[in-house]
Amino acid sequence: MRISGTHYRAIWITESGTVRVIDQSRLPFEFATIDLETLADAAHAIKTMVVRGAPLIGATAAYGMALAARANPSDSHLTEAARTLHATRPTAINLVWALTRMRTMLAEVQPKERVDVALREAAAICDADVEQCRLIGVHGLELIRGLAKTAGRTLNILTHCNAGWLACVDWGTALAPVYMAHDARIPVHVWVDETRPRNQGAALTAFELGAHGVPHTVIADNLGGHLMQRGQVDLVIVGSDRTTAGADVCNKVGTYLKALAARDNGVPFYAALPVSSIDWSLQAGSAVPIEERSPDEVTHITGRSSSGRIETVRLVPEGSTALNLAFDVTPARLVTGLITERGICSASRAGLQRLYPELRAAE
Ligand code: MRU
């Protein structure tokens, strides 16, 4: 993705071998990068959401294992490192997927070879994510092309949270088809849910779309249903932090309400996800662990004041408590289809098994 004419990934290795990420906690007001030197740096970046988004969490964890191997490639140290990274955030399955892949690779080689192997494997995970997101874009583009042709006017697409290139390594999941449609001169406009409480939509999706020149409008999370009733949403595309073998879609809290409104209004609702976001061990979404974050994210909000300073202010009365569950599950029956790197399938166990016949799902 290009920012002011320079191509960036959300995570990369510098020429001197440093792992570098974009500090997403400072966007959209400041574009800054952070170097991850140690396992602790990688774990901290995931936990504090300097990096976030399911595929990017997995990619950062992979490099976290490489940094751990650099410090000490012993079995016991790497076991502890995987435990530390695993404890950072509970919902995105990409974290477990990346750690399992790294541990399997590292167990097969002698400690002295582990740094090189880990760096190579982390880079391979990143490159594969970029290609998978590109293919999600290619398949989603055809969906958008068809709907735009039928509509015969600008296609209005609603998205929730940030499932763009900042949430992945490049391209994004839900936004990859949007970028490709825009580049193909298909007229698209994106309704960007602000995504309270952390505002990933208002801060990150709006930043990305703006940098790419895609027309978009930020809306309060509660507006989507009304816009759908008025025929102003043609398509919903969201990402996913964990999609079960039964095709229940866990994603940023608020996604379920959009799916309900979409179903009531006959608006197609798609989730876009790579294979690393599928949890083959779970059939039902009710078993997905839902992250509970600090109530401060609900009681307070951060933004830039008119004086240019980044400030955090309180929104609720002193003494009121708040609950901050960060994800919800949209049942498969409300999902029109899944856009994956292998194509689009129905949101069902059979649909997923048709696309991934070699990956066995839990009964
Ligand atoms: O809490 P976050 O910002 O990590 O949550 C991100 C999301 O919910 C995204 O929609 C999801 O990871 C899909 S990413 C391509």
Side-chain angles (χ1 to χ4, degrees):
M1 192 53 58
R2 294 185 91 75
I3 302 290
S4 308
T6 304
H7 179 265
Y8 285 94
R9 285 184 171 189
I11 187 167
W12 68 97
I13 286 266
T14 66
E15 275 173 17
S16 60
T18 303
V19 181
R20 189 163 287 170
V21 297
I22 295 168
D23 182 353
Q24 301 193 23
S25 67
R26 290 157 86 162
L27 287 171
F29 305 115
E30 195 183 339
F31 186 84
T33 60
I34 290 188
D35 289 348
L36 308 180
E37 314 274 6
T38 63
L39 160 70
D41 289 348
H44 185 257
I46 299 171
K47 205 174 177 61
T48 59
M49 295 177 68
V50 159
V51 293
R52 30 65 53 202
L56 183 58
I57 290 171
T60 308
Y63 274 117
M65 289 298 289
L67 294 171
R70 223 179 234 171
N72 176 353
S74 69
D75 286 342
S76 59
H77 184 67
L78 292 177
T79 301
E80 195 45 42
R83 201 171 292 141
T84 300
L85 289 161
H86 186 252
T88 52
R89 293 192 72 190
T91 301
I93 191 65
N94 311 61
L95 176 61
V96 177
W97 173 88
L99 290 174
T100 305
R101 184 164 152 172
M102 294 299 289
R103 293 212 66 195
T104 306
M105 285 301 286
L106 291 172
E108 285 169 7
V109 296
Q110 293 302 313
K112 64 177 180 351
E113 297 170 61
R114 284 180 176 163
V115 176
D116 286 348
V117 167
L119 284 170
R120 268 204 306 276
E121 191 62 9
I125 284 175
C126 289
D127 289 346
D129 186 68
V130 174
E131 178 59 7
Q132 286 163 354
C133 286
R134 190 188 69 77
L135 289 169
I136 286 170
V138 168
H139 298 301
L141 168 62
E142 291 317 307
L143 173 70
I144 292 177
R145 198 192 296 282
L147 290 171
K149 202 168 166 199
T150 307
R153 52 163 172 74
T154 297
L155 201 75
N156 288 302
I157 302 169
L158 185 143
T159 193
H160 190 71
C161 194
N162 172 260
W165 69 274
L166 285 164
C168 304
V169 179
D170 204 348
W171 284 109
T173 54
L175 294 189
V178 172
Y179 289 131
M180 289 194 186
H182 176 78
D183 292 349
R185 298 185 189 283
I186 297 169
V188 290
H189 164 264
V190 183
W191 297 113
V192 179
D193 280 355
E194 60 178 344
T195 321
R196 279 284 291 152
R198 286 190 62 101
N199 297 306
Q200 289 96 327
L204 305 177
T205 300
F207 172 81
E208 277 194 27
L209 293 172
H212 200 93
V214 179
H216 63 280
T217 306
V218 178
I219 55 172
D221 291 327
N222 294 330
L223 184 60
H226 177 70
L227 292 176
M228 289 184 207
Q229 285 176 322
R230 292 187 0 172
Q232 289 177 267
V233 181
D234 300 300
L235 169 67
V236 180
I237 313 182
V238 299
S240 175
D241 291 83
R242 189 185 298 224
T243 292
T244 67
D248 290 343
V249 173
C250 180
N251 191 49
K252 181 55 56 189
V253 68
T255 301
Y256 170 53
L257 289 176
K258 292 300 138 65
L260 282 172
R263 174 54 54 93
D264 193 44
N265 290 282
V267 175
F269 180 99
Y270 284 85
L273 52 122
V275 63
S276 55
S277 298
I278 303 172
D279 185 346
W280 299 101
S281 74
L282 295 182
Q283 172 68 17
S286 53
V288 175
I290 301 293
E291 179 178 14
E292 180 169 354
R293 298 185 57 83
S294 165
D296 292 357
E297 293 179 351
V298 176
T299 57
H300 292 70
I301 198 161
T302 301
R304 184 155 69 184
S305 73
S306 49
S307 67
R309 276 199 307 275
I310 306 300
E311 288 177 8
T312 300
V313 296
R314 189 176 177 88
L315 292 170
V316 309
E318 296 289 347
S320 290
T321 55
L323 175 64
N324 188 8
L325 299 178
F327 298 91
D328 63 22
V329 176
T330 299
R333 67 187 156 77
L334 296 177
V335 181
T336 311
L338 305 175
I339 309 172
T340 78
E341 72 278 5
R342 292 199 184 173
I344 299 180
C345 69
S346 65
S348 65
R349 183 186 175 82
L352 280 171
Q353 288 205 327
R354 181 177 63 76
L355 287 188
Y356 300 98
E358 77 282 18
L359 298 171
R360 257 191 80 76
E363 292 301 325

